[in-house]
Amino acid sequence: MNAKELSALTGRSGNALHTHLNTLVDANLVTNWKQTNPNKHQPYSYYAISGQGAQLIDLAVESLRHEQDVLETYQ
């Protein structure tokens, strides 16, 4: 997604969005590249989750599911 699409999706804009994205890029959780839109002359920054970021999300989801299973067992 480009920054404009991410802004619409997250409700964050401008510096706040770019600060978070830059932090995620620096941590190698998100990748960033620039691509020029054929209809415009300026390049857009695009972002995608990295392999490492996807692995961490998978681990977090697995951990939350396990925690939910444990809580349901004791209810």
Side-chain angles (χ1 to χ4, degrees):
M1 294 182 147
N2 65 38
K4 189 174 185 176
E5 294 167 326
L6 287 167
S7 177
L9 182 67
T10 63
R12 296 200 182 264
S13 62
N15 289 339
L17 177 66
H18 286 285
T19 298
H20 290 293
L21 288 170
N22 288 337
T23 300
L24 293 169
V25 168
D26 289 345
N28 296 318
L29 299 175
V30 169
T31 58
N32 169 283
W33 69 96
K34 294 197 184 291
Q35 184 173 333
T36 302
N37 182 326
N39 300 325
K40 300 186 180 191
H41 297 292
Q42 65 184 20
Y44 278 88
S45 287
Y46 287 86
Y47 299 87
I49 191 161
S50 69
Q52 182 178 349
Q55 286 177 337
L56 286 174
I57 288 173
D58 289 344
L59 286 171
V61 169
E62 183 180 321
S63 176
L64 289 170
R65 284 186 180 145
H66 175 70
E67 187 175 317
Q68 182 180 12
D69 290 345
V70 169
L71 289 173
E72 288 174 357
T73 300
Y74 293 104
Q75 287 185 0

